[in-house]
Amino acid sequence: MKPLFVLLAALCFIPAPAGAQDRAIPPRLIADLSQSRIDIVYTFAGAELLVFGAVQYADGRLPEESPDVVIVVRGPPQSITVRRKSRVLGLWLNTDSVRFETAPSFFRAASSRPILDMVDERTAAIFELSPEFLQLSPTGADPDKVATFEEGFLRSRIEAALYGSSPDGVDLVENVLYQARIDIPSAVPVGTYTVEIHLIQDGEVAASTTRTIDVEKSGFERDVYVAAQRESLAYGIASVALALILGWTASAVIRR
């Protein structure tokens, strides 16, 4: 990894073409991932994704003030209905709900400093730089109700390790090289994930770049997953039948 970082650093100090210094050329982000695919097998206990790269400045000179870097790993969006249970006549029943149309299935953010120390709330919301600034697209509810359900939804996702943020999770070396390690839990959903890297300067996003990573089931888990998607009825019948057989077998063993 060190030789690659040295190469990235050298690229960052390549002078711009003649006359380029006279124009306001924004910096450029160079980014890469430790892997482009994560395979989920029966022994999968989570993974660690390394995001690394460098900042290439147009004139080859470092800025007077240290920039910041924010890295966001985002799973495929989902439509999710969040329900609230209440006690009715001695029974716990679903009495209210809110539907969120664009909730990421996974969301982890890492930054070199706390988000609001770098940008204002508007910028944080536009770029969705941490879980509390996600735009979940709620439907058919008043603002107070939405805020309550959104808080509960975020709390449940954080407890499940599917959402999270690390305000000091990005290491920035000499204002040029950066890296962050993102934990991928064992219960992570499958799909194509986007990795967004943002460079923050003077309270604004000065440069951004994106990479993708595929999270897929493999082996027996993939066969079962594909069967459940393609033949849902047969899969359901087989699951019920297997449960009945196992229950009958267990009962027979206990009686003996």
Side-chain angles (χ1 to χ4, degrees), residues 11-27:
L11 289 173
C12 293
F13 291 100
I14 296 176
Q21 290 85 348
D22 298 332
R23 301 189 301 269
I25 302 177

Side-chain angles (χ1 to χ4, degrees), residues 86-93:
S86 301
R87 194 174 182 85
V88 179
L89 300 176
L91 300 174
W92 287 99
L93 303 175

Side-chain angles (χ1 to χ4, degrees), residues 69-71 110-113 166-172 178-181:
V69 174
V70 182
I71 296 173
S111 54
S112 51
R113 284 193 298 158
S166 178
D168 57 354
V170 176
D171 295 325
L172 186 59
Y178 64 86
Q179 69 170 9
R181 298 180 184 274

Side-chain angles (χ1 to χ4, degrees), residues 108-170:
R108 285 287 179 86
S111 54
S112 51
R113 284 193 298 158
I115 295 299
L116 293 182
D117 288 351
M118 299 183 288
V119 297
D120 57 24
E121 293 187 359
R122 179 177 178 274
T123 302
I126 290 174
F127 290 91
E128 297 183 324
L129 298 180
S130 62
E132 62 269 26
F133 293 108
L134 282 172
Q135 307 300 307
L136 300 174
S137 303
T139 58
D142 64 83
D144 292 337
K145 179 180 176 180
V146 167
T148 300
F149 275 80
E150 185 174 304
E151 181 181 352
F153 170 72
L154 293 177
R155 183 171 59 250
S156 66
R157 285 297 174 105
I158 291 172
E159 290 174 353
L162 293 175
Y163 283 18
S165 61
S166 178
D168 57 354
V170 176

Side-chain angles (χ1 to χ4, degrees), residues 10 25 68 73-74 174 246 250:
I25 302 177
D68 290 290
V73 180
R74 188 191 309 266
E174 299 294 337
L246 292 177

